[in-house]
Amino acid sequence: AGAAGGIWRDVPDDDKGRKKPENTTVMYDDLWSNTPKETMEFYDYTFDDHFKKETPSFLPRKDILEYLLARNSVDGALDGVKFNHTVQNVQYDENSKKFSVAVRDDSTGTESSGMFDRVIWAAGMHGAAEKPEAMVEVLKDFTGKVLHSSECTEDFEQYVNGKNVLLIGDGSSGEDLALRAVKLGAKHVYVTARSCEGQASETASWPSGKVTVIEGPPYKVLKGTHIKCQAVYWYEKKQKYRKDDEVEAVKVKDVDTVVMSTGYDYPSISILHDDLQLDSELTWSVSKGWAMDNNALTITLGSVKPSENLTPGSTCYSDVYRGVLIDNPNMMYITETYDSASTFLDLDVNANLVLAYLTGKVAIPKEKDMIKENQKQLEAEMQVPWLRTSMDGAYKEEAGELPENHWSENASDERAVEMNRMATSLLVRKLARDMQDAKYPVDLGNWKKLSPLGEKLVDINIAAGECRSSIEEENSEWKTFRDMEQKEFASLYTGTKSCALPGHWIQLKAEDGEPTKISTVK
């Protein structure tokens, strides 16, 4: 890349068409954050320091980028970064215990190589669009426009204005693009959800009633523009989703544009030799004799035997121990995990922990101890119902049989509230533990118990989820989660509360030629 900022950075002037691979997943200019800024704030450079005034909780991409750059360029921290350089290959020699790294200078075409004692992967997990083959096959007969969410860039309006739009996936990308499509004048937006567990499925109301969430992904195209969707369920025995024939299929007629909000892959990790790569899909198993503690769901589900092959957890990869590749501790990782209470803080603490390894301030445990600690952490996640459903197909299958009127579907039920807090608390406890070990100067508590500040971070995360489920009916014509003013949205470090947006989010727009910023929208 030619500048810092990762996927938040501006598209460079010489590649507005995003032809270069490093620019294909850069966010579009008018993107807004989908998490409150209070979960994105750093202790040593607060939003008060940056803006010098109160700001709304949900900010445009450009504001977040400028905040990140201002904080992370202090004292010339970025001066030594080699921009416009591509790492081509990384090998590890067991005899010399050194890495050979081949690099190309993209400005001159010059190639060079060097030997290093340590290598740190910090290139993220969002390098390329993930387009599931099965979905591509379904859409081969569709005669309209098909896009991946990464392709919904500055020209998105021409594909949605006055049109019927179908989004595949109800996660954060699906939610954001549904709102963006309505903002840009879509006739109607349909969001298809496989498991109905994403942000879009949690949203109680959409502006002008222009969004419909459908249970089940597309499975057939009729007459070029009609798309049939069918609910599915997880079949543990065959390790795949099956059509649920007990639920009537839904036909969406006259679809003009389909957007695949199906996530991202990270093919760039192939620059690392196979034995240096983390495996984000590496399965694992619980220890012999493991059992789930009783919880509010036990009386309904009973004791569910775990699957033999469990997927990675929300807080760690099976083969990476807190920034260290277990098979080769000289290979380190600063990268996001599946879920987080604060992605920016997680990465910052991860970086500080890696630095502590490099300087010898924190010792890297023996291989057997790293494996043991990861096992404990993953098994702790398995004790949390909402985290276990994403790891354990057998548990997910049982939970999928719960009736629609079950208390777990009622966000205000005290049992559901307790389980939501249990899941978020574990994410914050993991962050608090790593902060302690890295000597990070923020006290969220520890793995066993959160401090009052840690509990505040839990409150902010839960309030962020409630933004979607508690939109008042009388304001549903215009109100979105970004318009919600939650009392919990206050800085962890200064106590400054967020303020309201300068108008209804659905109407906010920057003037032509102006970047989308909180200071330019109206």
Side-chain angles (χ1 to χ4, degrees):
I7 58 176
W8 293 88
R9 60 192 167 83
D10 296 328
V11 179
D13 291 337
D14 64 352
D15 190 31
K16 290 299 185 183
R18 302 170 184 249
K19 301 299 183 184
K20 297 179 180 178
E22 64 267 26
N23 297 324
T24 56
T25 58
V26 172
M27 299 177 187
Y28 40 91
D29 176 69
D30 60 337
L31 178 131
W32 290 61
S33 66
N34 57 16
T35 56
K37 74 178 193 301
E38 288 74 20
T39 68
M40 309 167 85
E41 189 174 27
F42 298 107
Y43 75 95
D44 54 357
Y45 186 68
T46 66
F47 283 107
D48 284 359
D49 294 328
H50 185 71
F51 287 103
K52 312 298 184 186
K53 61 180 181 180
E54 295 178 348
T55 49
S57 275
F58 298 95
L59 296 172
R61 174 203 65 86
K62 183 74 170 178
D63 286 311
I64 299 296
L65 172 67
E66 291 178 350
Y67 172 70
L68 285 173
L69 293 180
R71 189 262 183 172
N72 291 299
S73 59
V74 172
D75 297 328
L78 298 177
D79 292 352
V81 177
K82 292 183 178 180
F83 295 110
N84 294 308
H85 282 65
T86 298
V87 177
Q88 296 178 300
N89 184 267
V90 180
Q91 302 271 350
Y92 183 73
D93 182 72
E94 283 288 350
N95 294 320
S96 66
K97 305 298 182 186
K98 289 184 178 291
F99 294 89
S100 172
V101 180
V103 180
R104 183 185 68 242
D105 183 334
D106 295 329
S107 300
T108 65
T110 304
E111 297 184 358
S112 61
S113 63
M115 303 299 292
F116 299 88
D117 298 309
R118 305 284 191 276
V119 165
I120 302 169
W121 172 270
M125 306 293 277
H126 295 84
E130 175 72 23
K131 299 179 181 180
E133 291 181 11
M135 196 54 60
V136 172
E137 179 65 20
V138 168
L139 296 173
K140 71 180 188 303
D141 296 324
F142 178 65
T143 57
K145 183 68 175 178
V146 178
L147 299 166
H148 184 270
S149 56
S150 63
E151 298 169 315
C152 299
T153 55
E154 285 67 35
D155 60 352
F156 188 48
E157 184 172 2
Q158 68 175 296
Y159 301 117
V160 299
N161 183 266
K163 302 180 186 297
N164 288 322
V165 181
L166 186 138
L167 291 161
I168 302 170
D170 67 338
S172 56
S173 291
E175 173 194 45
D176 181 66
L177 290 172
L179 287 170
R180 188 172 173 227
V182 172
K183 194 174 193 176
L184 294 174
K187 183 178 179 181
H188 200 86
V189 179
Y190 301 88
V191 180
T192 66
R194 185 175 64 185
S195 301
C196 294
E197 296 172 352
Q199 289 91 330
S201 292
E202 295 172 359
T203 300
S205 180
W206 299 86
S208 302
K210 283 194 170 186
V211 179
T212 300
V213 178
I214 298 170
E215 181 181 1
Y219 80 96
K220 185 182 291 186
V221 174
L222 305 171
K223 298 181 180 179
T225 60
H226 303 342
I227 296 179
K228 215 170 186 181
C229 303
Q230 179 69 57
V232 296
Y233 65 93
W234 177 255
Y235 185 45
E236 176 65 10
K237 187 175 181 180
K238 295 290 186 181
Q239 290 286 295
K240 67 178 183 179
Y241 283 94
R242 278 187 168 182
K243 286 194 298 180
D244 189 346
D245 294 326
E246 294 182 4
V247 179
E248 187 176 352
V250 176
K251 184 191 290 186
V252 183
K253 296 182 178 180
D254 302 318
V255 175
D256 300 291
T257 301
V258 169
V259 179
M260 299 172 66
S261 302
T262 48
Y264 295 85
D265 199 356
Y266 52 107
S268 56
I269 203 170
S270 62
I271 63 172
L272 302 178
H273 190 270
D274 291 349
D275 57 8
L276 301 176
Q277 298 178 23
L278 72 79
D279 184 351
S280 64
E281 298 179 354
L282 184 65
T283 58
W284 65 286
S285 301
V286 293
S287 305
K288 185 178 180 180
W290 179 89
M292 191 176 197
D293 297 337
N294 288 337
N295 58 68
L297 274 178
T298 304
I299 194 170
T300 306
L301 299 182
S303 179
V304 180
K305 182 181 179 181
S307 300
E308 291 185 10
N309 296 307
L310 302 167
T311 59
S314 295
T315 63
C316 75
Y317 301 108
S318 304
D319 53 353
V320 175
Y321 169 80
R322 300 168 71 183
V324 174
L325 186 68
I326 294 176
D327 286 345
N328 184 347
N330 293 320
M331 181 72 213
M332 299 180 180
Y333 281 86
I334 301 174
T335 190
E336 62 268 37
T337 51
Y338 179 74
D339 202 358
S340 171
S342 172
T343 301
F344 284 7
L345 274 182
D346 262 328
L347 290 172
D348 204 45
V349 173
N350 186 180
N352 275 265
L353 195 53
V354 166
L355 179 61
Y357 296 145
L358 295 174
T359 57
K361 292 181 179 180
V362 174
I364 297 174
K366 295 178 180 178
E367 181 176 335
K368 65 177 183 178
D369 294 327
M370 290 192 280
I371 294 172
K372 183 179 179 180
E373 288 303 310
N374 264 16
Q375 184 77 13
K376 284 183 180 179
Q377 185 168 323
L378 290 166
E379 289 182 353
E381 286 191 43
M382 284 282 286
Q383 293 290 354
V384 181
W386 293 158
L387 299 183
R388 183 177 174 182
T389 55
S390 66
M391 305 164 74
D392 182 2
Y395 195 77
K396 180 175 184 174
E397 187 175 47
E398 291 295 325
E401 295 297 319
L402 294 172
E404 291 185 5
N405 61 352
H406 190 264
W407 59 261
S408 60
E409 298 295 325
N410 178 6
S412 61
D413 187 286
E414 62 180 17
R415 292 161 292 186
V417 171
E418 177 189 353
M419 290 207 301
N420 286 338
R421 191 169 192 88
M422 187 190 304
T424 306
S425 292
L426 185 139
L427 300 180
V428 179
R429 281 166 37 215
K430 174 259 184 187
L431 178 57
R433 178 203 65 194
D434 290 352
M435 282 180 167
Q436 274 198 330
D437 288 354
K439 304 297 189 290
Y440 197 83
V442 174
D443 179 17
L444 296 182
N446 54 49
W447 177 249
K448 292 184 177 180
K449 183 176 176 59
L450 293 176
S451 69
L453 194 67
E455 295 290 355
K456 282 185 179 180
L457 182 55
V458 174
D459 292 339
I460 292 169
N461 273 269
I462 290 175
E466 292 173 350
C467 281
R468 294 161 171 89
S469 60
S470 57
I471 297 173
E472 309 91 343
E473 187 174 343
E474 60 267 26
N475 295 324
S476 62
E477 281 297 301
W478 59 269
K479 205 163 196 177
T480 72
F481 73 90
R482 294 186 176 110
D483 296 287
M484 299 291 282
E485 298 176 47
Q486 305 287 70
K487 68 180 187 300
E488 294 84 359
F489 290 168
S491 170
L492 291 173
Y493 315 111
T494 67
T496 301
K497 290 185 177 294
S498 63
C499 65
L501 290 167
H504 297 166
W505 180 85
I506 202 71
Q507 298 168 340
L508 292 178
K509 186 179 180 181
E511 295 287 342
D512 288 345
E514 291 283 342
T516 301
K517 297 178 62 176
I518 201 65
S519 61
T520 63
V521 296
K522 56 185 179 180

